Every structure is written in structure tokens, then in C-alpha cells.
Amino acid sequence: MVDKHLRSSDGPTGAVDMTPYISVCRAHTESLRAARGAAPQCFVLTFGCQQNVADSEKLAGMAVDIGYEITDAPEQADLILVNTCAIREHAEKRALSIVGQYKHLKEKNPSLVIGVCGCMVAQEHRCEQLKRSYPYVSFVIPTSVIYRFPQYLAETVTKGKRVFRAEEEHTVAEGLPIRRESSYRAFVSIMYGCNNFCSYCIVPYVRGRERSRAPEDVIREVKTLVQAGYSDITLLGQNVNSYGKDLEEPCSFASLLRRLDGIEGDYILHFMTSHPKDATRELIDVMAQSRHVAHSFHLPLQSGSDRILSRMNRHYDRAKYLDILDYMREQIPGIAVTSDVIVGFPGESEADFEDTLSMLRRARFDMIYSFIYSPRKGTPAAAMEDQIPREVQNARFDRLLALQNEISGEANALLVGSVQRVLSEGKSKNDAETYTGRTAQNKIVFFKEPCPAGEWVSVHIDRAEAFALHGTVITK
């Protein structure tokens, strides 16, 4: 589905006009269609976070707008776009491996155009590596200029040029067509970039400084989605709590959320990701008073040690984090809280790690996303001398998971016997006889009764595991 309200034949606003390039690309796809009697095909592969998914939906939307049809089969494609992640070294190597596998497709189809997009190619060394070692890649598009996709494609198909410019723009392009992957769940970017410069993180270097969309543009997009029947909408930003600080007329994230909550309809609002240093009581109060904001909060901890938090440049300590968490649970009883934790950060002692374990026991998160620290080239932490041996990291990681699995299981067990409103996601990917969905607190629920994706159902919870609930549908 392509959002018509975001289609703009005049090119995106707030950015360089793409109209001439769009016309060239449409002429190219029309010639391909005329030659073969069918529309040319575009394959989009996405690595990484929800923000990357949202970016890929824009790339797919632009591809459809200029005449391509989207395919799930890269071997059938005339255009392949690989949207990459740079958060960990493993993600980059996996993306490069996949791009390498497309070499044989280019050999079979010399007219195939391959573009590599996203965070990875915002790094100069990766851009140069693709240019030097992957001659079948036609262009790269860093995250800050994805709206220029028609320009890069036009230069490729008309001039045979390979485009590897290191362009970086701090603009917010509105009006891009979006091809949503789902008919009921939507991602809405409210801001781009990050100003925090955590010592381990590559994001500020690959996504640039914070740029907020105008509240009117966000509200218009969400309202249109609700009117189109979308029931699960997630607001995205590297740090949504910083939203609006850079606008000419500042607008806090809490204020934006309050205005979005006023939109009439049957839908639920999620948001991610938050930074503890900017999580305000005003935001929590708005959530408590809202009709549509989910009672779930993803609040990355990263470490339970004040010393390590300081080395990470996180700008909060245990006390501040717990103050936020306690206020949240006081104002919103039953709220589900999830978090991120990094194990084996440079200099992490056994005592520091024990502080993290004690924080998990105190915070009692519903779930955590845990990661073993890996150096990212260009970040301060990568240059720290006291790197932790891999075997120590692995051992601590196992201990962390064992503790959190116990806590998650106990938290989910409290829901046995309750009735939960669940948004169906359709058939389970792993079991054709089982259906799956999520509660308003974003907990996974499995059930046997057939229910189309996108429908709300009431499910009696029969049993619980650490990562999921199992139940019986009682009403639709």
C-alpha cells in the first residue's frame, strides 16, 4: 500500500527538488515496460531497526512512484536496494555478504541496478570499500539523503555513472511516497539523527544531528493513517524525548503526544526510543491520562554501574533512572517496561557487572534487549585500552540472560487468568496452526483460533513463558 497523501509529483518539500530526476526515472521504467510488456521489478532488503524499516518504506514508495513493482525475489529484480545497519560490526558484514551474493545476478542481467543505502554507507571507509571492491554496485545513499534516490538512479540509467558522493544534508524531506509493509501497523518518523554521542554508538556519525519534523506534519500523517484503518502506530526517533527542541517554535514530545492522542479512532500509539536523561514526568503524566498511548515504555539502561554509565557518556546514574522508573509505575500501574543492556563494555569489572545484575533485580523489566559490546570504528569506546576478553563477555552475557529470563517469566505469570486485548498479527511464522498477536503492553500472545491480521481480539491468558503468553480467544 502506497500512502497517496504523501505522494508528491513536485518532489519532496524541505529538500532539493527531485522533479527532473523523477521524470527521467519514469521514462526509464516506461521504456522497460514497453520492451518486455510488464512492469520492471524492484527488490528492497532491510537490515536493522524500525527506523531503517521506515526508510525502506520510503525507498519502496519512491520506486513504485516512478514505475517499479515491488518483488520479494531478488533474481527477478531490475533494481535491488539494500538498506543497511551500522549499529554492530556483524550487521555490516552480513549486509556486505548479501551484496556480494548479488554479483552473479548482475552477471546474468547486466542492466540490473544495485544500490546500497542506509547507515553503513554513511561511513567513508565502507563507502570506499563498496566503490573499490563491489564494482557491480551502482550507487550508495546515506540515510540523510534518501530522498535523492531518483537523482542517483537517473544518473545511473542515463549516464552509466556510479554515484558515490558523500552528501550529507540536515534537512527534513516531506512529501515522499511511502509503501507500507503492513495494512494495519505503521511506523512514523517524528525526528532524525541524534545529539547524544554515547561513547559506544555510531548513530550520531551516520544519521547526523537531531532534526524534528513539524508537529503539524506528524499529526497530519497519523490522522491520515487512522482514517485509513491503521490500528497500531509507532512514533520513531533515535531519542524521541528530544523531539521539538530544534524547531523554531519548540514543541515537547509530551505536547506532541497529547495532540496525537486527541485524534479520534480505534488505534494505539507506541514510541521508541527514549533516553533516560530526557524522560520527563510531563511525558509520563500524558501517557497516564491518554486514551491511545500504549502503557509500555522502552527505556534503555545499558549498564547498572554508575562508573560505566559515565564512561558510556549516558548523562544519568542509577538514582535518576530509578526515580523515572518508580514514578512511571506509580502513575501507570501495570505498565510494561523494557530496556537495553550492554555487557562487557570496556573497563567493566566484575563489580560493575554485579551492579547491572542488581539493577535488573530492582527494576524487574518485562524484557530486555541485551548485547555483547563490540567496538565501532570511529567511536571513543573503540579506542579505550581496557577491552574485555570475549570469553568474559560471553560468560557475563549468559548470566544476564538467565536472570532476566527468570524475571520475565515471573512478570508474565502474573497475567495468567487475565483477559487481554490483543491485536492479531495473523498466522505464526513458525506454526501454521497457531496465530499470534500483541497486547497493548507489546507482549506476544499465541492462540489457536483463526483471526486475520489487524483485528482486535480478547484473549484469556491460560499460561505464560518468559517471552510469550498463550491463551484462548473469547471474543472478536
Side-chain angles (χ1 to χ4, degrees):
M1 174 180 179
V2 177
D3 290 354
K4 301 295 184 182
H5 71 289
L6 291 176
R7 184 184 295 278
S8 174
S9 60
D10 298 323
T13 61
V16 177
D17 183 18
M18 291 289 107
T19 305
Y21 305 108
I22 291 172
S23 297
V24 169
C25 290
R26 285 177 178 163
H28 171 69
T29 56
E30 287 170 8
S31 67
L32 291 176
R33 180 189 291 269
R36 67 186 61 175
Q41 305 289 299
C42 173
F43 173 73
V44 182
L45 179 64
T46 308
F47 294 89
C49 65
Q50 287 89 342
Q51 186 69 68
N52 277 22
V53 172
D55 289 345
S56 287
E57 290 181 336
K58 293 186 177 91
L59 288 165
M62 286 186 280
V64 170
D65 194 47
I66 60 179
Y68 288 93
E69 289 182 355
I70 303 300
T71 178
D72 292 329
E75 63 273 10
Q76 297 177 4
D78 303 279
L79 170 66
I80 293 177
L81 300 174
V82 181
N83 193 10
T84 61
C85 173
I87 198 70
R88 288 182 295 279
E89 183 80 12
H90 176 72
E92 292 187 5
K93 289 182 177 179
R94 184 162 174 250
L96 289 169
S97 174
I98 294 293
V99 172
Q101 294 173 30
Y102 294 148
K103 178 181 179 180
H104 74 280
L105 297 181
K106 180 72 172 181
E107 291 172 347
K108 291 180 180 179
N109 178 15
S111 65
L112 171 66
V113 176
I114 301 173
V116 183
C117 321
C119 295
M120 184 182 79
V121 299
Q123 302 171 98
E124 184 176 352
H125 71 286
R126 290 301 191 196
C127 188
E128 283 300 313
Q129 181 181 4
L130 285 165
K131 183 178 180 180
R132 181 180 65 255
S133 303
Y134 297 75
Y136 44 91
V137 170
S138 298
F139 57 81
V140 299
I141 311 176
T143 57
S144 63
V145 291
I146 62 168
Y147 81 93
R148 286 182 178 266
F149 159 59
Q151 177 186 357
Y152 293 3
L153 180 61
E155 292 182 8
T156 295
V157 299
T158 60
K159 303 176 184 177
K161 292 178 61 177
R162 300 179 72 210
V163 185
F164 287 80
R165 290 192 291 270
E167 294 172 309
E168 182 175 337
E169 298 176 11
H170 296 286
T171 59
V172 175
E174 297 288 349
L176 296 176
I178 301 176
R179 183 184 183 276
R180 307 268 180 197
E181 292 187 358
S182 169
S183 60
Y184 65 92
R185 175 173 290 135
F187 297 115
V188 176
S189 298
I190 66 170
M191 63 185 299
Y192 307 94
C194 183
N195 292 352
N196 288 310
F197 288 93
C198 300
S199 62
Y200 54 82
C201 187
I202 196 70
V203 169
Y205 304 96
V206 297
R207 283 195 172 269
R209 304 296 78 75
E210 292 175 354
R211 292 98 66 202
S212 301
R213 295 178 64 193
E216 293 75 19
D217 291 326
V218 175
I219 293 167
R220 185 182 304 112
E221 182 174 352
V222 172
K223 183 178 293 186
T224 304
L225 288 167
V226 172
Q227 292 171 347
Y230 282 84
S231 48
D232 189 336
I233 299 170
T234 301
L235 310 176
L236 299 178
Q238 259 61 51
N239 176 16
V240 291
N241 298 342
S242 291
Y243 170 82
K245 294 180 180 180
D246 59 314
L247 296 173
E248 289 187 12
E249 295 184 15
C251 170
S252 71
F253 179 54
S255 297
L256 175 67
L257 209 56
R258 185 183 291 111
R259 293 174 66 181
L260 292 172
D261 185 58
I263 298 171
E264 294 298 328
D266 187 10
Y267 65 96
I268 193 165
L269 280 173
H270 297 274
F271 58 85
M272 63 186 313
T273 293
S274 292
H275 195 298
K277 75 178 180 64
D278 299 312
T280 64
R281 293 197 169 198
E282 179 193 12
L283 171 59
I284 295 167
D285 292 342
V286 167
M287 292 178 65
Q289 299 158 9
S290 70
R291 298 177 298 161
H292 299 107
V293 181
H295 285 181
S296 63
F297 206 116
H298 186 70
L299 192 65
L301 170 66
Q302 306 303 8
S303 174
S305 163
D306 286 346
R307 189 179 74 87
I308 296 299
L309 287 172
S310 177
R311 297 196 88 191
M312 289 178 168
N313 197 37
R314 292 291 287 172
H315 299 289
Y316 58 85
D317 56 18
R318 287 172 61 105
K320 179 171 181 177
Y321 188 98
L322 289 172
D323 179 68
I324 298 166
L325 186 62
D326 290 344
Y327 186 77
M328 193 183 301
R329 287 180 167 152
E330 174 187 321
Q331 298 301 311
I332 313 174
I335 188 171
V337 183
T338 57
S339 193
D340 294 339
V341 177
I342 296 173
V343 173
F345 186 80
E348 181 188 71
S349 66
E350 183 63 22
D352 293 320
F353 179 66
E354 287 292 342
D355 283 346
T356 296
L357 296 182
S358 72
M359 193 66 160
L360 262 59
R361 296 186 187 98
R362 169 68 168 80
R364 298 195 64 78
F365 299 116
D366 288 77
M367 185 179 69
I368 64 169
Y369 298 89
S370 50
F371 309 93
I372 293 176
Y373 169 78
S374 62
R376 302 304 298 118
K377 183 176 180 179
T379 62
M384 293 179 180
E385 294 182 356
D386 42 0
Q387 302 288 321
I388 305 300
R390 187 68 182 191
E391 61 272 17
V392 175
Q393 291 180 320
N394 288 340
R396 289 176 182 171
F397 186 74
D398 291 343
R399 290 163 60 193
L400 183 88
L401 286 187
L403 174 59
Q404 183 56 46
N405 288 348
E406 179 183 337
I407 294 170
S408 295
E410 291 170 355
N412 282 347
L414 297 175
L415 297 176
V416 173
S418 68
V419 175
Q420 299 290 321
R421 191 170 190 236
V422 174
L423 181 63
S424 174
E425 297 178 344
K427 289 185 177 181
S428 168
K429 295 179 180 178
N430 301 319
D431 182 357
E433 296 182 357
T434 300
Y435 287 74
T436 184
R438 290 181 183 269
T439 69
Q441 287 75 31
N442 214 31
K443 289 180 179 287
I444 298 171
V445 181
F446 293 107
F447 49 91
K448 294 295 185 180
E449 296 76 11
C451 183
E455 284 194 9
W456 291 100
V457 292
S458 294
V459 179
H460 180 275
I461 304 303
D462 303 321
R463 62 186 179 90
E465 298 173 335
F467 299 105
L469 304 169
H470 298 261
T472 304
V473 173
I474 56 175
T475 59
K476 291 186 179 181

